Amino acid sequence: MACQDAMVWTQKRRMIAVVFAVMCLSGVGVLAFPHAGNHHAEQWHGDGTTLNLPEIILGRCYEYITMKNPGVGNKDCIQLLNMLAASVMNKNQCDIRPEDYEELMAVTSYPILCDRSVFWSNTNELVHRYANAAQNLVTMEDTLLGYIVNGLLWCGKSYASEFNYQSCPSRYDCENNPISVFWKLASEHFAKQACGVIHVMLNGSSTTGAIQPNSIFRTIEVPNLDPLRVKEVKIWVMDNIEGPDRDSCGSPRLLELESTLKKWNIHSSCVDNYWPAQILQCVSNPGKCLQV
């Protein structure tokens, strides 16, 4: 009974800490972020900060470190939330810089085993289904920080220590907005950690080609692969289950990618419609997958 009482008390303490942190970030309680003055709300073209962002982040963080990947060790989820908030609050939302997130990246970083890293471009759903099925593969969204903020939006206000829930700058407003800067930096860190044999899943049915010249994969991740750590890049070009087949191995852009890797002494290989991943497509679309 003593052990059970101790576990219950630990859970209660954690819940109290979560509630306290949420109160601080939502403007309730003695440690609420103060307003810097009566300024008009900034209006941007993008959607505002995801509702209940602090609660979502804390919930995902505790789920990750206790259930999804306990091997990362004990992390202070409240600290991570506060660091994310500090990265964007009381700052020009069109002048967010990589260094604003560097401390957060450092605190959440942990080694990723070689041969596990998976990169992707325009194959969001399929690549994560495959990585989850394979169990031993890791996308950036499977890392601690990627998992916590995946699919969320956030930005601050230039004049106050609070999130802006009305609107956030999109890439149409400015390039150095909170979301764009964050994912570019996270992608850079993820690429630099990759080692051994890595995998890349691309979309051969995309109207803009399997590799978009301005994509994060091509502009951020590929240039930050370490030739001393990465032995091979396995490229999977996946068509949508109904097609069309617009791009494939041997196309100019794929050849350009392989040529670039070769210059860095990184071996590469390319496979069209990688069979194990295509099975997952067929499972979801049995009537449209007559023969593979």
Side-chain angles (χ1 to χ4, degrees):
M1 291 296 293
C3 291
Q4 292 179 348
D5 292 342
M7 292 176 63
V8 171
W9 174 239
T10 300
Q11 292 175 349
K12 287 183 177 180
R13 291 178 62 187
R14 176 172 289 179
M15 289 302 300
I16 292 172
V18 171
V19 172
F20 186 69
V22 172
M23 289 172 61
C24 292
L25 286 171
S26 59
V28 181
V30 295
L31 295 181
F33 293 112
H35 288 270
N38 295 321
H39 296 261
H40 294 293
E42 296 162 310
Q43 296 296 320
W44 308 102
H45 290 91
D47 293 334
T49 297
T50 302
L51 293 178
N52 303 311
L53 180 77
E55 295 93 333
I56 295 172
I57 288 179
L58 289 172
R60 287 183 179 182
C61 181
Y62 285 124
E63 178 189 11
Y64 192 93
I65 64 176
T66 59
M67 298 176 64
K68 183 175 175 62
N69 190 2
V72 301
N74 188 32
K75 300 289 183 180
D76 188 336
C77 295
I78 296 175
Q79 178 194 27
L80 301 186
L81 174 59
N82 288 331
M83 292 176 69
L84 178 68
S87 298
V88 297
M89 292 180 179
N90 281 310
K91 296 177 181 178
N92 181 344
Q93 300 302 293
C94 276
D95 192 28
I96 300 299
R97 302 177 181 276
E99 49 264 35
D100 292 324
Y101 288 116
E102 282 289 1
E103 186 176 1
L104 176 62
M105 298 281 174
V107 170
T108 56
S109 178
Y110 60 92
I112 297 175
L113 297 178
C114 291
D115 308 326
R116 301 291 180 87
S117 300
V118 181
F119 298 83
W120 59 276
S121 184
N122 207 14
T123 55
N124 189 348
E125 180 180 356
L126 180 59
V127 74
H128 290 106
R129 287 179 59 205
Y130 179 76
N132 183 61
Q135 296 185 339
N136 63 340
L137 298 179
V138 179
T139 68
M140 185 172 61
E141 292 77 17
D142 294 318
T143 64
L144 171 59
L145 190 55
Y147 185 82
I148 290 174
V149 301
N150 186 31
L152 303 180
L153 296 175
W154 67 88
C155 66
K157 296 181 179 180
S158 62
Y159 55 84
S161 296
E162 62 185 58
F163 289 114
N164 187 339
Y165 289 94
Q166 281 68 51
S167 64
C168 290
S170 68
R171 66 178 186 273
Y172 300 107
D173 291 299
C174 52
E175 181 177 355
N176 295 327
N177 62 76
I179 300 299
S180 294
V181 173
F182 173 86
W183 284 113
K184 287 179 180 179
L185 183 62
S187 297
E188 177 183 327
H189 279 247
F190 185 67
K192 288 180 177 178
Q193 282 188 294
C195 60
V197 178
I198 68 172
H199 307 80
V200 180
M201 186 179 290
L202 307 173
N203 190 335
S205 295
S206 173
T207 56
T208 54
I211 299 182
Q212 301 176 36
N214 61 343
S215 67
I216 287 182
F217 170 67
R218 194 64 187 88
T219 61
I220 303 294
E221 292 171 335
V222 171
N224 280 289
L225 295 177
D226 186 347
L228 299 178
R229 291 167 53 82
V230 176
K231 296 179 180 179
E232 181 181 1
V233 177
K234 291 187 175 182
I235 306 167
W236 302 326
V237 182
M238 304 299 301
D239 293 335
N240 296 338
I241 199 65
E242 295 181 295
D245 179 12
R246 290 193 173 99
D247 213 347
S248 57
C249 298
S251 67
R253 287 181 179 175
L254 268 301
L255 290 176
E256 186 273 334
L257 171 61
E258 293 191 86
S259 176
T260 298
L261 295 171
K262 185 177 181 180
K263 292 178 182 177
W264 298 342
N265 294 318
I266 300 177
H267 178 70
S268 63
S269 61
C270 185
V271 175
D272 288 317
N273 295 313
Y274 180 58
W275 166 245
Q278 197 171 42
I279 290 177
L280 293 177
Q281 291 178 307
C282 292
V283 169
S284 300
N285 303 274
K288 299 175 183 178
C289 192
L290 300 179
Q291 183 176 359
V292 181

